[in-house]
Amino acid sequence: MLFRSVLALGVALLCAQNLAADTQYVGSHLWTSNAPLHGGFSGLEVSADGKTFTVLSDSGSLATGVFSRSKTKEIQKVETLSLHPIKDKDTDTLRRYMNDSEGLAIAPSGEIYVSFEGVHRIWRYDTASSRAKPLPQHPAFKAMQNNSSLEALAITPQGHLLTLPERSGGETVPFPVYRFNGSVWDVPYAIPRRGNYLPVGMDIGPDGKLYLLERWFRGIGFSSRVRRFEFKGDTLVNEVTLLDTKLGVHDNLEGIAVWHDGTDIRLTMISDDNFKPFQVTEFVEYRVTD
C-alpha cells in the first residue's frame, strides 16, 4: 500500500510542477513483477513506434517488454518479454564490483552499449546474449568519482557514442560530454551545471536534439528535470528546460528515451526503485509539441 500512496502523492503534486509551454504530462504506469531481477532500472530505450522497450538494471540485468497503449497512446499495460543478466567479456557472469551498469544505448544495427560505474568503462554487446567487447577508454575515465561516473549514453545520427559523468568535479564546473567515433575519444561538448541537479540519462531525439534527464535527491524524495540542447558544430546551443518537477511528483527517474508518437515528441522515462519496498518502478511520459 505504501507504493500506491507514494504514487498518489506524485499525481497530486503534478499541478504544481514547472513545465515549458510546449510540454504536457501524459501519464504514469507502475511496472511490477515478482522476478528477483526486476528493479533498479537506470537505462531505457524505446522503439521508434513506442511499442517495445529495453531497460537496463544497475545490477547488471537487461529486460525487454511490450507496451499496450490506448488510442491516445497512453500506457495501459506493460508485458515483460525477457529479463536476464548481461555477460562479462570472458565469462557468462559479471564479477562482483563489475556489475554496476547505468547507461544504455542501442545502435540502429542492434548493437547494445552499456556504461558502468565502479570500474568506469563502456562495453559493447553484439546481441543481448553475447559476451562483452570492451571499448577503448578515455584517460579521464579512470579518475572519475566512485558511484558518480558514466551515468548516461546516447548515439548520434552519425553513429557517434556520447557519454557524461554524474558529477563534474565542482558546483560551477560544466559536465564534460565525451564522444567516441568508433576509434578515438574526444570531448567536444560541455553542459552547464545548474542548481543541485545531476545527470542520470540522455537520448538523441528523432529531431536530432540532445535530451538530458537530471535528478535531485532531496532527502525524502526526488525532483526531476529534462533539458534539451541543439548541436551546432562542436557546441551545444539553445538550451531549454522542458520540465522541472517539484519534490515527490515522480520516483527516482533515471532512464529516458525520446521518440515521435505521430503527432509530437514523446519523453518516456523509468524510475530506479533501488530494490527498496518504499520505492516504485514506474514509466512516466510527457509530450513535447513540435
Side-chain angles (χ1 to χ4, degrees):
M1 293 299 294
L2 179 59
F3 69 88
R4 295 185 183 277
S5 299
V6 171
L7 182 61
L9 176 61
V11 173
L13 291 171
L14 278 167
C15 61
Q17 65 180 322
N18 298 317
L19 301 179
D22 58 353
T23 304
Q24 302 171 343
Y25 172 68
V26 175
S28 301
H29 187 91
L30 287 176
W31 182 27
T32 60
S33 171
N34 292 324
L37 295 177
H38 181 90
F41 298 117
S42 57
L44 171 67
E45 289 279 5
V46 173
S47 60
D49 59 7
K51 293 181 179 179
T52 63
F53 65 87
T54 302
V55 290
L56 176 75
S57 167
D58 58 17
S59 62
S61 296
L62 199 68
T64 62
V66 176
F67 294 123
S68 295
R69 294 182 177 273
S70 66
K71 291 183 179 179
T72 55
K73 298 193 176 180
E74 295 180 18
I75 298 173
Q76 293 185 316
K77 183 180 178 181
V78 179
E79 179 185 357
T80 305
L81 297 180
S82 66
L83 176 57
H84 59 84
I86 55 177
K87 297 178 181 179
D88 206 318
K89 56 185 174 61
D90 300 316
T91 67
D92 290 344
T93 304
L94 283 172
R95 290 165 287 174
R96 189 179 181 186
Y97 306 121
M98 297 287 285
N99 64 347
D100 191 356
S101 49
E102 293 289 344
L104 173 69
I106 301 177
S109 60
E111 291 179 324
I112 300 168
Y113 294 87
V114 176
S115 66
F116 294 84
E117 292 185 326
V119 179
H120 318 307
R121 68 199 190 279
I122 298 174
W123 281 354
R124 185 184 82 240
Y125 294 85
D126 292 335
T127 68
S129 59
S130 300
R131 287 185 179 176
K133 296 180 179 180
L135 266 63
Q137 303 300 288
H138 191 281
F141 291 175
K142 289 184 178 180
M144 288 182 177
Q145 185 175 335
N146 190 38
N147 198 36
S148 297
S149 61
L150 304 176
E151 275 283 330
L153 285 175
I155 297 177
T156 70
Q158 295 77 29
H160 297 160
L161 190 67
L162 303 181
T163 188
L164 82 169
E166 184 178 1
R167 294 187 181 274
S168 61
E171 293 183 358
T172 61
V173 178
F175 298 102
V177 180
Y178 298 87
R179 179 176 63 185
F180 184 65
N181 68 1
S183 57
V184 298
W185 288 92
D186 63 357
V187 194
Y189 312 116
I191 293 178
R193 184 165 176 167
R194 306 202 187 282
N196 295 308
Y197 282 99
L198 299 174
V200 288
M202 67 178 175
D203 197 15
I204 308 296
D207 52 5
K209 299 176 183 178
L210 175 65
Y211 291 76
L212 180 70
L213 171 62
E214 299 171 288
R215 170 190 61 194
W216 175 10
F217 177 57
R218 306 179 68 176
I220 59 172
F222 301 87
S223 291
S224 300
R225 182 172 71 188
V226 175
R227 287 190 283 168
R228 183 183 65 198
F229 302 85
E230 296 180 24
F231 294 95
K232 185 178 181 180
D234 281 348
T235 59
L236 294 172
V237 299
N238 298 333
E239 175 186 343
V240 176
T241 298
L242 298 174
L243 66 96
D244 186 350
T245 72
K246 301 297 184 182
L247 171 64
V249 171
H250 303 301
D251 208 301
N252 179 27
L253 298 182
E254 284 206 23
I256 183 171
V258 184
W259 53 286
H260 202 281
D261 64 12
T263 304
D264 301 304
I265 291 289
R266 184 73 65 96
L267 311 179
T268 302
M269 292 166 281
I270 191 169
S271 64
D272 175 1
D273 68 355
N274 294 299
F275 294 98
K276 304 294 186 184
F278 51 84
Q279 291 186 259
V280 299
T281 298
E282 61 174 341
F283 286 99
V284 175
E285 294 194 314
Y286 285 80
R287 177 185 297 113
V288 182
T289 57
D290 290 342

